[in-house]
Amino acid sequence: MTEYLNIAGNTLAYEVTGQGPLVVLAHGMGDSRHSYRFVAPALAAAGYRVANVDIRGCGDSGLGWDGYSRTDIAGDLVAVVRHLGGPAVIIGQSISGGAATIAAATAPELIAGVIELAPFTRAQSFDLGGLVRVKRFRAGYLQLAQVLVRGSVASWRRYLNLAIPTKPADWHGELARIEAKMSEPGRMKALQSMAKSSPADAGRQLPNVTCPVLVIQGGVDPDWADPRAEGERILADLPRGLGELAVIEGAGHYPHVQTPDDVLALALPFLTRTLTGA
């Protein structure tokens, strides 16, 4: 059942399933909580209370927010944890990985751990060499540029085709749902605002994180020429000993969609350590 949290006069949609320690799921731009359709039920079955959130401007959440930065999204996630009762582990993908970092740094009493899936958590430099050398990176960059400049739903569809190289069985219907949602007035503008926001605010908070962090990268993610190197840079900016990195070979930018079993195999031991102390 969809619930709504009022934040500064706007609405944030979420769904809670299961009983136990709290895990908050936050998806990437241009997506919705349906992104975690394979992961959320498994986490609930494993004994966790799972709050699956539509981040601001996405899914069933409202439009017209004042901003769409990682700092803005982090404030929403902290509000959800506070409303439901923490502590919690946040699992955040892409832009929400950076938001989860900010939430952990600014509300350490509420956030017990962070799992970042293909996260944009650092300011990105222009990688001309990577664009020349790596075809998948070049192709993804060009499609995202079309989304950013023209607001093209067709380009977003083509980007997703690259970002999820092996499709789940339900992909045809899921893609139709994404396209219909992104065609609603205001949804593409929210995506563009997120795409224009810099991850620098998250990067500045990495040294202030005090909880454990697990970074999961897809080995063929088209958003980086070298996804493993990006994960290693995130860990290098965290306090020593807090971060760990896993790379799922063959996965793209949406490992929780493409390889949910691999994500769960990494996430469940982390959740046990951080939320139950076992």
Side-chain angles (χ1 to χ4, degrees), residues 77-248:
L77 298 178
V78 170
V80 169
V81 175
R82 186 171 286 118
H83 175 68
L84 295 176
V89 166
I90 298 177
I91 302 179
Q93 187 250 343
S94 197
I95 191 172
S96 289
T101 293
I102 297 169
T106 56
E109 73 284 4
L110 292 174
I111 311 305
V114 170
I115 299 176
E116 302 192 15
L117 305 175
F120 275 95
T121 309
R122 300 172 54 259
Q124 303 293 302
S125 57
F126 182 68
D127 186 359
L128 178 59
L131 289 171
V132 172
R133 294 191 314 272
V134 183
K135 181 179 179 180
R136 59 170 170 75
F137 177 51
R138 183 168 64 251
Y141 184 92
L142 291 173
Q143 294 306 326
L144 285 176
Q146 289 294 313
V147 173
L148 186 61
V149 174
R150 298 175 53 217
S152 168
V153 174
S155 292
W156 183 241
R157 181 180 66 243
R158 288 191 289 269
Y159 164 76
L160 292 174
N161 185 58
L162 295 167
I164 306 175
T166 302
K167 311 298 187 287
D170 69 346
W171 182 242
H172 181 75
E174 183 65 11
L175 182 58
R177 188 200 61 75
I178 292 171
E179 289 182 302
K181 179 60 66 174
M182 292 309 301
S183 297
E184 292 178 1
R187 297 297 177 187
M188 180 55 73
K189 286 187 177 180
L191 184 157
Q192 290 174 301
S193 294
M194 292 181 193
K196 292 175 183 176
S197 69
S198 169
D201 55 350
R204 286 191 294 269
Q205 291 291 357
L206 281 167
N208 301 323
V209 173
T210 59
C211 65
V213 177
L214 169 61
V215 177
I216 300 176
Q217 296 280 56
V220 292
D221 190 329
D223 284 43
W224 295 280
D226 188 343
R228 179 183 291 276
E230 177 63 22
E232 290 171 347
R233 293 184 191 103
I234 293 171
L235 263 59
D237 288 342
L238 285 165
R240 184 180 297 274
L242 282 187
E244 57 181 305
L245 170 65
V247 178
I248 301 176

Side-chain angles (χ1 to χ4, degrees), residues 16-38:
V16 178
T17 55
Q19 299 290 329
L22 181 62
V23 179
V24 175
L25 307 179
H27 58 82
M29 66 182 192
D31 209 340
S32 76
R33 66 184 190 272
H34 289 271
S35 184
Y36 286 103
R37 61 195 179 278
F38 305 126

Side-chain angles (χ1 to χ4, degrees), residues 48-64:
Y48 295 97
R49 181 170 46 126
V50 181
N52 197 0
V53 178
D54 283 337
I55 65 173
R56 56 172 58 198
C58 298
D60 295 323
S61 289
L63 289 161

